[in-house]
């Protein structure tokens, strides 16, 4: 007796003993099965949780992932929520009215959000006065130069101790109206306007009683003297507002206004920010209803993960229900019975309940990938029962219509189909289990869960299903004979044309496979996770809008540094890289390091040197005032006997000089000079209208107010002309909150972001042709660089390598298992032909429809071998048992079983096509297409080849 026959005989004997046990003890089998199912389902209901964090999908012992985790842990803001408000109207038009309407809503909304108990903090902008004047270095160079020119125009104020002295200095020179004005054209006109503003402030001060305090600076536009940086320059994503001191948070192109919401987190919830997200959405909905003409929504990583989790669970539940209905309908049609499908589904649900008990015990959670496990098991698990039912209905009438006859029919069924079922289950489970060799934890967990679930479903179908049949329908009178049925899911006549023309069939199939292999070489891995997020979800929609319409990049590399000096050293090297953006290339604390910092500081130093005499005098007077009246003044006294003639007379003289010289001034300067003349006339008129005593008192008050105004101007200019680099402390703390953190040891840390410049033909930084090279460039500067771009690149590379490895191991493992089953290399190799052809053709179809390989559907590499080989195994078993039957390998119910099981598997994955989660839909498309093409190969390639083989064997014997 050969080793092969011993192997088969032992296996058949074991299956026969099992069938006898189930036939004789169906009640005990069901009691044990139900008890375990209730225990597993109850344990899962109490303890199974959902892991919403994407980073939990990766092993945490990878160096690049550890750096990413450390970065996220050291810096606040990962779970921050962002309310986005569009400043354009419903038609997408920009206008001042729409802008004002959006800003009012933001202010109202921010106040309402701050009152929520679930919210820790709200930040939507800051006052310009909260920024150090030194931050004007962050403005573009041309704007900085204009600001410095305005400061130079203030030299006359700095050098004049009194208002009268100011007018005297302004009148000196060849031309009275231009004596203190530098430059020409528009700048000269602006400076004359600024001087007129100051004269108007003098006039308004004379209109107020002397004993009433007046802030002269509040009457003058301070931006003309010592401006700070606009929010657009001070913060990546900010935007300077037209007037006033308030600056809203904005996207780079200023279209969208942002409100950053810091949630209070509940660590016990699936998503720690769930309560905050729900509360914020409720407030947003109220304001949306109140302002239907303003477009707004909620996004942020916390909101996206929350919505992705909800969408994945919702899609999985809907897909599971749809799969049960569709598979049940298919089974009713296939078996012409309601009883058998119901018993199959009941047995399957028990197997799934066991599986969930295992999931809870072995893993403890589901995540966005493994949440589809129910759908997977519905499609794959029912296949074992279909093979049993297909064979049982074929042989049931050959045995007595008694309980013993049922036992004999079940033994026949298990001996015939059991080896193929066992091999198919082991190969499929082995394919899933190969994912355990990867560092992609999400899919490794999915592989473990699915592998164990498949084996548990096989056990349920081989125990619960026959036990139910034995108790409910042991006879065969309820089984309609195959010949009496009108509807067939498989008809042998469909396959016979391929059997009759085997060579033509194989040539056509070979050409299709070769063309598909060519398409595989053109496929590229898509790193873009945004393309996998759910459709029609608010947080995802708004994330895409601020990227596409707001020009806000969400992808960058990040260097974590300990000081601004270290950040500046890295910034210089990053800016030298060819693929780093020239404008906006650095974010985080990099926004405090302008590209032309040295030129700006040189311009500041030059301006300070020009203003130094007047600035020093003004600051010296202020220092004397601070020491007290008992200390001698280092400069001229402010207490001299200046009367009305000193200011009002000089104002009148200056007015006359302006009128006399106006005709010689450039045309573009005349409106400003006319306004200055009018301001001087108003000052003189107001002063002379006062009684002499009151006039003198108010002029004295004006001198005191002017002294304070001059001192404050000197302080502002002194601070603004500090050429030292901008520090973190110079900006509002909340503005830099996401970029200032602390390490585990309490050491302060700063985040320097680096953004790419995309070359022509590259639509986004995640395209394979760009991403790898950019990351490698970043590593020439900082070999520990992290950030979303680096994480996506490394995880994509990990996934690609892991699945190539897992696919190769799966193919090897499947081949070894089928070889151990058939003990013949040629038979084992032929078993893999349909799945190999289906695998190649799947990528051909993906290429034709424009689908890409992505982190969701790349799981097809190992899985399609394990899932698809099941059909080939059953075909080869049937051929070896009945080599002369037609069609070869698909006779005696095998064709129906293979077709039904393939269809249920296709349904199990195809129901995911309707998922809003595009990653799940992508997985469903690829696997359902792969199994469909594998079934087609089982119908065409294997019968055709087996027909040729049968002919050769017949000729050899003859």
């Amino acid at each position: 007796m050969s080793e092969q026959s011993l192997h088969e005989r032992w296996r058949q004997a074991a299956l026969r003993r099992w069938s006898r046990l189930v036939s004789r003890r169906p009640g005990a089998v069901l009691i044990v099965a139900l008890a375990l199912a209730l225990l597993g389902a109850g344990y899962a209901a109490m303890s199974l949780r959902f892991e919403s964090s994407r980073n939990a999908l990766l092993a945490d012992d990878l160096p690049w992932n550890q750096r990413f985790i450390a970065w996220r842990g050291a810096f606040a803001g990962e779970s921050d929520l962002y309310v986005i408000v569009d400043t354009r109207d419903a038609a997408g038009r920009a206008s001042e009215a729409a802008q004002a309407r959006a800003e009012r809503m933001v202010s109202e909304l921010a106040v309402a959000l701050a009152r929520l108990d679930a919210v820790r903090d709200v930040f939507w902008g800051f006052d310009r006065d909260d920024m150090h004047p030194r931050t004007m270095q962050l403005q573009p160079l041309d704007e900085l130069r204009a600001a410095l020119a305005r400061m130079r125009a203030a030299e006359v104020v700095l050098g004049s101790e009194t208002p009268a002295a100011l007018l005297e200095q302004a009148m000196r020179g060849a031309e009275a109206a231009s004596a203190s004005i530098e430059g020409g054209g528009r700048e000269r006109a602006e400076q004359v306007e600024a001087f007129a503003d100051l004269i108007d402030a003098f006039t308004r001060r004379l209109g107020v009683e002397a004993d009433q305090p007046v802030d002269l600076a509040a009457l003058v536009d301070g931006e003309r003297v010592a401006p700070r940086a606009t929010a657009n320059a001070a913060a990546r994503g900010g935007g300077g507002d037209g007037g006033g001191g308030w600056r809203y948070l904005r996207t780079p192109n200023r279209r969208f206004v942002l409100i950053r919401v810091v949630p209070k987190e509940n660590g016990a919830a699936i998503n720690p920010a769930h309560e905050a997200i729900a509360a914020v959405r409720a407030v947003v909905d109220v304001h949306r209803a109140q302002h239907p003409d303003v477009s707004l929504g909620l996004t942020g990583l916390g909101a996206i993960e929350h919505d992705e989790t909800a969408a994945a669970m919702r899609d999985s539940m809907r897909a599971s229900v749809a799969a049960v209905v569709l598979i049940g309908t298919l089974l009713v049609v296939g078996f012409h019975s309601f009883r058998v499908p119901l018993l199959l589904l009941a047995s399957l649900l028990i197997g799934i309940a066991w599986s969930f008990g295992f999931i809870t015990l072995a893993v403890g959670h589901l995540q966005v990938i493994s949440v589809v496990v129910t759908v997977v098991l519905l499609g794959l698990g029912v296949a074992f029962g279909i093979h049993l039912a297909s064979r049982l209905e074929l042989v049931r009438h050959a045995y007595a219509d008694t309980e013993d006859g049922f036992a004999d029919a079940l033994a026949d069924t298990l001996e015939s189909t059991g080896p193929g079922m066992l091999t198919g289950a082991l190969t499929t489970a082995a394919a899933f289990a190969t994912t355990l060799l990867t560092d992609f934890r999400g899919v490794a967990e999915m592989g473990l869960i699915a592998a164990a679930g498949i084996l548990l479903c096989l056990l349920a179908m081989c125990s619960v299903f026959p036990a139910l049949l034995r108790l409910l329908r042991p006879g065969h009178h309820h089984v309609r004979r195959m010949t009496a049925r009108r509807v067939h899911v498989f008809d042998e006549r469909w396959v016979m044309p391929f059997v009759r023309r085997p060579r033509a069939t194989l040539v056509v199939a070979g050409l299709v496979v070769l063309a598909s292999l060519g398409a595989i070489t053109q496929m590229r891995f898509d790193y873009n996770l945004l393309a996998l997020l759910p459709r029609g979800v608010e947080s995802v929609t708004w994330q895409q809008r601020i990227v596409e319409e707001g020009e806000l990049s969400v992808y960058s590399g990040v260097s974590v540094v300990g000081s601004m000096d270290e950040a500046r050293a890295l910034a210089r090297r990053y800016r030298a890289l060819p693929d780093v953006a020239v404008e906006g290339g650095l974010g985080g604390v990099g926004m405090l390091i302008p590209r032309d910092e040295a030129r700006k500081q040189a311009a500041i130093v030059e301006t300070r040197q020009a203003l130094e005499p007047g600035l020093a005098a003004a600051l010296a007077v202020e220092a004397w005032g601070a020491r007290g009246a008992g200390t001698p003044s280092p400069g001229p006294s402010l207490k001299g006997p200046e009367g009305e003639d000193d200011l009002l007379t000089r104002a009148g003289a200056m007015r006359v000089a302006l009128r006399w010289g106006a005709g010689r001034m450039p045309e573009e300067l005349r409106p400003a000079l006319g306004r200055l003349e009018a301001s001087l006339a108003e000052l003189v008129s107001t002063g002379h209208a006062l009684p002499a005593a009151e006039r003198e008192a108010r002029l004295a008050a004006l001198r005191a107010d002017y002294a304070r105004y001059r001192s404050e101007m000197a302080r502002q200019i002194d601070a603004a002309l500090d050429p030292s680099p901008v520090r973190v402390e110079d900006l509002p703390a909340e503005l830099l909150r996401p970029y200032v953190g602390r390490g585990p040891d309490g050491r302060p840390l700063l985040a320097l972001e680096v953004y790419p410049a995309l070359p022509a033909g590259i639509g986004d930084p995640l395209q394979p042709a760009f991403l790898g090279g950019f990351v490698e460039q970043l590593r020439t500067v900082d070999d520990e660089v992290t950030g979303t771009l680096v994480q996506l690149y490394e995880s994509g590379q990990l996934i690609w390598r892991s699945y190539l490895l897992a696919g190769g191991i799966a193919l090897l493992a499947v081949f070894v298992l089928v070889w151990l089953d058939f003990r013949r290399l040629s038979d084992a190799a032929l078993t893999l032909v349909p799945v190999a052809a289906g695998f190649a053709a799947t990528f051909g179809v993906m290429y034709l429809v424009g689908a890409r390989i992505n982190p969701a559907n790349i799981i097809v590499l190992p899985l399609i071998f394990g899932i698809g080989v099941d059909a080939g195994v059953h075909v080869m078993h049937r051929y070896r048992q009945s080599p002369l039957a037609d069609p070869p390998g698909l006779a005696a119910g095998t064709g129906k079983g293979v077709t039904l099981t393939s269809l249920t598997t296709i349904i199990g994955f195809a129901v995911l096509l309707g998922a809003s989660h595009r990653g799940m839909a992508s997985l469903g498309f690829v696997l359902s297409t792969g199994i469909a093409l594998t079934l087609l190969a089982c119908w065409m390639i294997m019968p055709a080849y087996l027909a040729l083989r049968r002919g050769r064997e017949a000729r050899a014997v003859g």
Side-chain angles (χ1 to χ4, degrees):
M1 182 177 296
S2 66
E3 183 180 356
Q4 180 181 359
S5 60
L6 279 173
H7 166 72
E8 291 182 348
R9 181 167 296 185
W10 177 87
R11 186 168 57 189
Q12 289 176 350
L15 290 170
R16 188 181 303 110
R17 285 193 292 272
W18 177 257
S19 68
R20 296 294 180 188
L21 172 65
V22 174
S23 298
R24 292 172 183 172
R25 300 286 187 272
V29 169
L30 288 177
I31 289 173
V32 173
L34 285 172
L36 291 175
L38 291 173
L39 184 62
Y43 182 40
M46 291 187 296
S47 304
L48 188 63
R49 59 185 178 86
F50 192 95
E51 176 60 68
S52 60
S53 173
R54 295 181 194 169
N55 207 53
L57 302 179
L58 299 169
D60 54 14
D61 58 349
L62 299 166
W64 49 268
N65 195 35
Q66 288 177 336
R67 289 193 288 270
F68 185 82
I69 294 172
W71 165 54
R72 285 293 181 85
F75 295 88
E78 178 183 0
S79 60
D80 286 356
L81 310 175
Y82 288 86
V83 177
I84 315 296
V85 179
D86 194 348
T87 61
R88 297 188 181 180
D89 61 21
R93 296 185 299 264
S95 68
E96 292 185 5
Q99 172 98 0
R101 192 163 50 242
E103 291 176 354
R104 282 197 302 272
M105 169 181 266
V106 167
S107 299
E108 295 172 5
L109 188 56
V111 172
L113 292 173
R115 295 194 185 104
L116 296 176
D117 292 337
V119 168
R120 186 180 306 280
D121 195 13
V122 175
F123 180 65
W124 72 100
F126 53 93
D127 195 286
R128 189 182 60 183
D129 291 336
D130 293 335
M131 300 172 65
H132 192 283
R134 181 172 46 235
T135 58
M136 73 174 185
Q137 295 180 33
L138 306 181
Q139 296 180 116
L141 184 57
D142 57 344
E143 294 182 16
L144 174 66
R145 284 173 172 163
L148 293 176
R150 289 194 295 270
M151 288 187 193
R152 289 199 177 198
E155 182 178 11
V156 65
V157 176
L158 296 175
S160 303
E161 291 188 1
T162 66
L166 173 67
L167 294 186
E168 181 179 357
Q169 284 210 54
M171 291 180 62
R172 290 175 184 169
E175 296 186 35
S178 60
S180 62
I181 304 173
E182 297 181 355
R186 186 180 63 182
E187 285 188 8
R188 295 175 66 190
E190 288 180 353
Q191 291 168 0
V192 172
E193 291 278 357
F195 192 74
D197 288 340
L198 184 56
I199 300 301
D200 288 340
F202 290 171
T203 303
R204 288 194 292 273
R205 178 62 188 92
L206 290 182
V208 179
E209 294 182 3
D211 58 352
Q212 291 187 12
V214 173
D215 182 4
L216 197 62
L219 304 180
V220 183
D221 186 359
E223 178 136 5
R224 297 183 184 276
V225 179
R228 286 141 170 95
T230 62
N232 187 46
R236 182 178 181 83
D241 297 332
W246 185 258
R247 296 293 181 260
Y248 290 94
L249 289 183
R250 297 180 184 272
T251 53
N253 63 358
R254 305 188 72 243
R255 172 167 179 176
F256 298 102
V257 184
L258 292 73
I259 304 175
R260 189 169 73 221
V261 181
V262 182
K264 292 179 181 176
E265 298 187 352
N266 178 9
I270 292 176
N271 186 305
H274 172 74
E275 293 179 7
I277 292 171
V280 171
R281 280 215 166 108
V283 173
V284 168
D285 289 342
V286 169
H287 281 73
R288 184 184 287 121
Q290 294 174 347
H291 304 274
D293 51 345
V294 179
S295 178
L296 73 160
L298 178 68
T299 188
L301 180 61
I304 289 174
E305 288 187 347
H306 175 272
D307 292 345
E308 184 180 23
T309 298
M313 296 181 71
R314 182 173 60 251
D315 288 339
S316 177
M317 180 63 68
R318 291 174 178 174
S320 299
V321 173
V324 169
V325 173
L326 292 175
I327 290 173
T329 302
L330 177 64
L331 296 179
V332 169
V333 173
F335 290 104
H336 289 251
S337 168
F338 286 97
R339 298 180 182 88
V340 169
L342 288 175
L343 297 182
L344 281 172
L345 292 176
S347 305
L348 178 61
L349 292 176
I350 288 177
I352 291 176
W354 295 349
S355 301
F356 270 88
F358 172 81
I359 294 170
T360 309
L361 186 63
V363 181
H365 63 260
L366 292 174
Q367 25 80 1
V368 70
I369 296 177
S370 59
V371 74
V372 300
V373 65
T374 302
V375 178
V376 172
L377 294 181
L378 283 170
L380 297 177
V382 76
F384 308 121
I386 290 173
H387 283 296
L388 282 175
S390 297
R391 178 64 181 175
L392 184 62
E393 70 174 9
L394 189 68
V395 303
R396 183 65 186 92
H397 290 276
Y399 295 93
D401 194 10
T402 62
E403 293 180 357
D404 289 338
F406 173 85
D408 293 336
L410 179 61
D412 183 335
T413 299
L414 282 177
E415 289 177 22
S416 176
T417 62
M421 290 168 52
L422 184 59
T423 301
L426 289 175
T427 54
T428 304
F432 274 103
T434 57
T435 61
L436 292 170
L437 302 174
T438 73
D439 289 317
F440 192 33
R441 180 184 293 168
V443 177
E445 291 175 355
M446 171 69 179
L448 174 64
I449 292 167
I454 286 168
L455 296 178
L456 291 171
C457 287
L458 171 66
L459 179 60
M461 287 302 179
C462 290
S463 58
V464 177
F465 176 57
L468 288 171
L469 283 175
R470 165 68 178 76
L471 287 176
L472 300 178
R473 291 293 176 178
H476 61 54
H477 60 276
H478 66 285
V479 179
R480 180 175 296 183
R481 293 180 180 275
M482 297 284 286
T483 55
R485 297 178 179 178
R486 295 181 180 179
V487 180
H488 300 274
V489 295
F490 176 80
D491 193 318
E492 296 172 353
R493 292 173 295 180
W494 301 345
V495 182
M496 290 310 297
F498 307 124
V499 176
R500 297 189 188 101
R501 298 175 181 81
R503 289 183 175 81
T505 299
L506 294 177
V507 168
V508 171
L511 292 175
V512 171
V513 170
L514 286 175
S516 298
L517 291 175
I520 291 177
T521 62
Q522 304 300 314
M523 301 293 288
R524 295 292 182 268
F525 187 80
D526 186 359
Y527 295 88
N528 191 356
L529 292 181
L530 283 179
L532 302 181
L533 293 173
R535 303 183 196 90
V537 174
E538 179 191 48
S539 59
V540 176
T541 300
W542 277 98
Q543 177 85 346
Q544 292 172 328
R545 285 194 65 184
I546 61 175
V547 170
E548 297 168 5
E549 301 173 30
E551 301 176 5
L552 176 65
S553 177
V554 296
Y555 299 119
S556 66
V558 175
S559 284
V560 178
V561 298
S563 68
M564 283 300 298
D565 289 339
E566 186 180 352
R568 282 187 165 81
L570 290 180
R572 286 191 294 271
R573 297 176 61 192
Y574 275 132
R575 286 191 168 121
L577 298 178
D579 287 337
V580 171
V582 175
E583 295 297 332
L586 296 183
V589 296
M591 66 188 177
L592 308 184
I593 312 171
R595 176 179 291 274
D596 44 9
E597 186 176 58
R599 295 173 64 188
K600 291 178 178 179
Q601 290 172 348
I604 290 172
V605 169
E606 180 183 356
T607 302
R608 186 177 189 91
Q609 290 172 347
L611 294 178
E612 189 62 38
L615 187 61
L619 292 174
V621 170
E622 179 185 13
W624 170 80
R627 287 195 298 268
T631 305
S633 169
S637 173
L638 294 179
K639 300 182 179 181
E642 181 179 295
E644 60 179 283
D645 290 340
D646 292 311
L647 176 61
L648 301 181
T649 301
R650 289 173 187 175
M654 188 174 188
R655 179 190 173 197
V656 172
L658 285 173
R659 182 177 297 175
W660 177 78
R664 295 179 297 166
M665 293 294 104
E667 185 68 30
E668 59 186 341
L669 200 58
R670 291 177 185 176
L673 292 173
R675 190 206 153 187
L676 176 58
E677 181 189 350
S679 297
L680 290 167
E682 180 69 17
L683 175 64
V684 173
S685 173
T686 301
H688 284 306
L690 295 170
E694 182 66 20
R695 180 170 57 245
E696 183 61 32
R698 294 191 185 188
L699 285 171
L702 172 59
R703 290 195 297 274
D705 292 339
Y706 173 80
R708 287 191 294 270
Y709 168 72
R710 177 175 175 241
S711 297
E712 176 60 26
M713 176 185 289
R715 284 196 300 271
Q716 288 187 15
I717 292 178
D718 181 57
L721 294 182
D722 180 355
S724 61
V726 179
R727 303 171 302 174
V728 171
E729 297 80 7
D730 294 338
L731 276 77
E734 273 301 310
L735 187 63
L736 294 177
R737 176 176 174 270
Y739 316 117
V740 177
R742 291 195 176 275
D745 56 355
R747 181 170 58 98
L749 299 174
L750 304 174
L752 173 65
E753 297 178 339
V754 188
Y755 291 86
L758 300 181
I762 300 296
D764 65 73
L766 300 183
Q767 290 190 19
F770 175 81
L771 180 58
F774 180 69
V775 171
E776 292 307 316
Q777 283 187 31
L778 297 184
R779 284 179 171 156
T780 63
V781 175
D782 180 5
D783 57 4
E784 294 189 351
V785 66
T786 184
T788 51
L789 274 180
V790 177
Q791 188 76 353
L792 287 173
Y793 172 71
E794 288 291 358
S795 59
Q797 290 294 301
L798 171 67
I799 293 169
W800 182 252
R801 292 192 302 267
S802 297
Y803 279 118
L804 285 178
L805 175 64
I809 295 175
L811 180 60
L812 178 62
V814 166
F815 181 79
V816 169
L817 288 171
V818 295
W819 175 74
L820 290 174
D821 184 17
F822 295 114
R823 302 301 176 93
R824 185 175 176 180
L825 289 176
S826 60
D827 288 358
L830 182 58
T831 300
L832 297 179
V833 168
V835 69
F839 179 84
T842 298
F843 284 93
V845 171
M846 291 176 65
Y847 179 77
L848 289 175
V849 301
R852 295 183 178 183
I853 305 172
N854 57 51
N857 63 35
I858 196 175
I859 195 174
V860 70
L861 284 173
L863 297 194
I864 200 168
F865 290 118
I867 297 172
V869 77
D870 181 74
V873 167
H874 283 284
V875 171
M876 182 54 67
H877 269 290
R878 176 52 52 204
Y879 175 77
R880 288 171 58 133
Q881 292 170 1
S882 307
L884 301 179
D886 277 328
L890 294 174
T894 300
K896 177 184 178 181
V898 166
T899 301
L900 268 177
T901 55
S902 296
L903 289 176
T904 57
T905 304
I906 292 169
I907 289 172
F909 290 112
V911 291
L912 295 175
L913 289 172
S916 64
H917 194 288
R918 287 174 286 185
M920 294 171 63
S922 174
L923 171 64
F925 169 75
V926 173
L927 280 176
S928 59
T929 301
I931 300 303
L933 292 172
T934 300
L935 173 62
L936 188 60
C938 281
W939 281 7
M940 296 174 59
I941 298 176
M942 282 198 78
Y945 180 82
L946 291 173
L948 290 175
R949 172 175 163 176
R950 184 171 60 186
R952 289 197 305 270
E953 292 173 347
R955 288 191 296 274
V957 173

